[in-house]
Structure formats: structure tokens, C-alpha cells
Amino acid sequence: MATLDVLVLEGDGIGPEVTASALQVLQRVCKHAGITLALEHGPFGGASIDKHGEPITQAMLDRSLKANAVLMGACGGPKWDALPTDKRPEKGLLRLREHMQVFANLRPAKLFRALADASPLKAERADNFDFVVVRELVGGLYFGKPRFIQGEPGKRVGANTMTYTEDEIVRIGRVAFETAMGRKKKLLSVDKANVLEVMALWRSVMTELGKEYPQVQLSHMYVDNAAMQLVLRPSEFDVLVTENMFGDILSDLAAACTGSIGLLPSAAVGKGPALYEPVHGSAPDIAGQGKANPLAAIMTVAMLLEHTVKRTDLAAAVYAAVDDVLDAGVRTSDIAKKGEKIVGTKAMGDAVLLALDKQLSAG
Ligand code: IPM
Ligand code: MG
């Protein structure tokens, strides 16, 4: 790839701060690899509501499909909390995912060796867990129709609908099986087939698809049990595939197990350009203070290098640089133990750049 065209949507809260660090990493890697980086910045989320009256404009939606990749920061904040669901910053993200048809959201979660004691799990439980949540991202309960609040005040009814077609289950299933093929070849499909018809269909389609991947050991679990097992035995998970809303919930649980939600990157992929989003939110309580942990955003860039640029070597250098700074004891406030020295966003980003230079010149 000679030129890499990235649409950057920093969004709200800590989004701009962490994205700035992530872009420095991307710039450094591109320079090293001889890739010309073309960045375009656009309004997104609350920032777009303030400027254009809507959380994402049609122009940005159109632009997203022309880029090689879209890099998102974060969206939402108390300023826009009173708006109806349809007008909120979050709607911008949902519209973007739908427009780009990025149906598979890969959310890797692992315990960093240097942060084992930041995890709320006991050491013997956490034991180097390392798994990927493959979350269906453009269907299920988030997008199903009908959806409404209707009726007279006092007698109103609200409804959302969980629907999946067989095709939708097959396409997310394939991404999950392929992901498992590149890892330990263990796939867990998480559903609620004991209660919901749509999830009974999910289970039967996944089982059928599994016949095409005889090397992958496929198992099934109900979502409530999966939540429990994630906390009790996280090291037994390798790849987990699930419905949109279930994936939203389980991936926050996975993030918490790592010790901080500031550590989880994600890639949303489909047939066209991919959308890269850290799993954390906009953290309005610390926004604008230069305190936020940029590591999730930085590792999100590593995922971009892997999935869009198709350079696993460059992605590995970024991951290794992150490992190095954590091993060296560099800590933002979210991952510091009592009494440990705390650095801000910029110092953490600079430490990664320094470690990255070493990784790149060694590799
Ligand atoms: C996530 C977030 C989003 C979601 C919000 C911001 C719409 O929680 O990416 O997990 O619910 O998908
Ligand atoms: Mg979420």
C-alpha cells in the first residue's frame, strides 16, 4: 500500500486527546514503512451535533466509504444526554457502522503481563487470558425493526426487536471461524437459544457452518453463563462470537477483566473499508485534562495496520512497544497502583513512540 487514506473522527470527550497520540504512532510507522499517509479530519458525535445539528453528516458518511479506513475516537457526553435516542451522539456511530456495513467487530482482550495485578480478578483466575470477542455489529437488537415508543403518556409501550437472517448469521460466523483458524482453533458461540427463537436459529446456523471448519472446535453457551464463565475462567476462551447487544455487554466485561477499559482496541470490518474504534467511551470526567490512557487508541492503530494495511509485522511492532512501556512501569492513572508515578496522555504516547523506534529499528 503506497498511500493510506484515513478519515479521522475524533469525536467527543477524550476522543481528540487519545486519537492525537494514536495518529503520532501511525505517522511514525508509515514513515518507517514508506507509506504516504493522507489524513482527513471530520466532525463526529456531539461535536457534529454542535456544528451541524446531527451526530454525523451525509458528507462524512459518503466520505467514509472512499477512505481506506476510518479511525474513530469516542462519542457522547453529559452535554447531549437529554437528547432523544435518535438524536444522540451515539446515533452517529450506529449510523456510521450501518452505512459502512462493518458487520464484524473484533474486540481482542488480553491480560498484559505487567498489569496482572490491575485486573480485578485473582491472579490464578486471570492467568494470562487472551481472547477475541467477535461481535455482530449491524444487526440484532440494535437495528431490528419494529422499534418505537408509542401511545399516550401513562400507557406508552416501547419495543425493540432482535432479528437475524441466516445470511447475517453465516457472514459473522465466517469471520469468527476464520479468526479462530488464525488462533487456537476454539470458537464459542454465545446465544440465548433456550429462550429466544432468533437465537435458536443462530445456534443451528452456527452448528451447520461449523461443518465447513472441521479443524475448529465449536461450542455453544448461553449468554448468562458466558458472562459468569468470563469472570471465573477467562483463560479458557479463545474466540467468542455473539449477537450485537450481547457483544456490547460481554466486551465491557472483558475490558474490566484486563484492569482498565482504556486498554481495549477494536476493528469493525465488512466488505469495504474498516472502522477502527477503541472500546472505551468518551470519559467526560477526565476529558480535556491530558490524563486519558491512549493505549487503546494506539492499539486500534495496530489493528488498522494488521487489517487494512495487511502488515502484521508493523502491527506487531506497535503491540511490542506497548508491552515494553508497560513492562517499564509507565502508568496512566487508570492502570497505576497506589503510590505509583502517574503520567498523562502525552507522556504515555511519547514513551510508546520511543519504544516503537527501537522495535522498528530492531525489526
Ligand atoms: C461500544 C459502545 C457503543 C455501542 C455506543 C457508544 C453506541 O458502547 O462500542 O461498545 O453500544 O455499541
Ligand atoms: Mg459498549
Side-chain angles (χ1 to χ4, degrees):
M1 183 172 266
T3 304
L4 175 63
D5 171 15
V6 181
L7 174 63
V8 184
L9 304 172
E10 286 99 339
D12 311 315
I14 60 169
E17 302 158 56
V18 297
T19 308
S21 294
L23 287 177
Q24 281 189 315
V25 167
L26 184 59
Q27 266 147 351
R28 191 66 63 90
V29 172
C30 286
K31 187 156 178 242
H32 168 87
I35 300 167
T36 308
L37 183 60
L39 298 177
E40 183 176 321
H41 296 256
F44 181 63
S48 176
I49 294 178
D50 290 350
K51 213 167 159 202
H52 303 284
E54 49 184 349
I56 190 159
T57 60
Q58 189 59 44
M60 280 307 119
L61 291 173
D62 293 343
R63 180 67 180 85
S64 71
L65 293 179
K66 297 200 180 85
N68 296 120
V70 179
L71 181 64
M72 200 276 288
C75 71
K79 185 174 171 193
W80 308 280
D81 269 354
L83 294 171
T85 359
D86 205 42
K87 303 260 180 303
R88 291 169 67 99
E90 289 85 344
K91 194 70 185 184
L93 181 56
L94 297 173
R95 246 188 239 157
L96 182 63
R97 288 172 180 168
E98 188 181 29
H99 190 76
M100 295 179 76
Q101 279 297 299
V102 282
F103 60 85
N105 192 199
L106 310 173
R107 299 188 154 187
K110 69 165 195 168
L111 189 72
F112 286 90
R113 55 183 180 239
L115 294 180
D117 45 15
S119 171
L121 303 181
K122 286 203 179 104
E124 65 269 25
R125 286 233 156 102
D127 194 27
N128 287 321
F129 71 81
D130 179 349
F131 60 88
V132 183
V133 176
V134 180
R135 170 186 176 191
E136 200 291 327
L137 203 61
V138 297
L141 195 53
Y142 272 45
F143 288 94
K145 288 189 179 115
R147 57 186 304 153
F148 57 78
I149 300 179
Q150 63 189 28
E152 298 295 312
K155 299 227 178 308
R156 286 175 302 172
V157 179
N160 288 88
T161 309
M162 190 189 282
T163 53
Y164 276 110
T165 63
E166 290 196 44
D167 284 349
E168 286 172 325
I169 303 169
V170 168
R171 71 179 181 178
I172 186 70
R174 282 202 192 286
V175 172
F177 277 104
E178 296 295 336
T179 305
M181 288 294 285
R183 296 177 50 101
K184 289 192 219 139
K185 302 192 172 59
K186 262 173 75 179
L187 176 62
L188 177 70
S189 172
V190 173
D191 61 41
K192 191 70 187 174
N194 50 343
V195 176
L196 306 174
E197 282 76 6
V198 53
M199 291 282 96
L201 179 68
W202 175 285
R203 186 175 287 213
S204 87
V205 173
M206 286 294 175
T207 306
E208 198 55 33
L209 186 62
K211 294 183 186 154
E212 291 182 36
Y213 298 88
Q215 307 96 312
V216 177
Q217 183 201 326
L218 170 68
S219 53
H220 306 269
M221 205 180 270
Y222 301 136
V223 63
D224 48 350
N225 186 21
M228 187 166 78
Q229 299 304 331
L230 265 182
V231 170
L232 294 177
R233 277 178 275 278
S235 359
E236 285 181 20
F237 289 78
D238 182 28
V239 181
L240 183 162
V241 62
T242 194
E243 190 269 343
N244 200 342
M245 169 93 161
F246 295 169
D248 179 47
I249 298 170
L250 292 180
S251 59
D252 266 22
L253 188 62
C257 292
T258 68
S260 166
I261 193 161
L263 293 170
L264 252 69
S266 97
V269 303
K271 290 208 162 55
L275 166 64
Y276 295 90
E277 17 168 314
V279 173
H280 60 66
S282 59
D285 52 324
I286 56 162
Q289 299 173 28
K291 284 186 187 168
N293 183 349
L295 293 181
I298 289 172
M299 288 186 283
T300 297
V301 158
M303 293 193 85
L304 189 158
L305 293 165
E306 191 175 336
H307 295 275
T308 295
V309 186
K310 309 247 181 279
R311 288 284 301 266
T312 41
D313 58 324
L314 299 175
V318 175
Y319 288 125
V322 170
D323 275 334
D324 290 347
V325 299
L326 290 175
D327 285 346
V330 187
R331 299 285 184 268
T332 42
S333 57
D334 56 315
I335 50 175
K337 276 189 291 190
K338 239 196 179 131
E340 267 180 339
K341 183 173 174 261
I342 290 170
V343 303
T345 313
K346 185 165 181 320
M348 179 58 102
D350 289 346
V352 173
L353 287 174
L354 208 66
L356 181 61
D357 280 339
K358 286 196 194 133
Q359 287 292 339
L360 291 173
S361 56

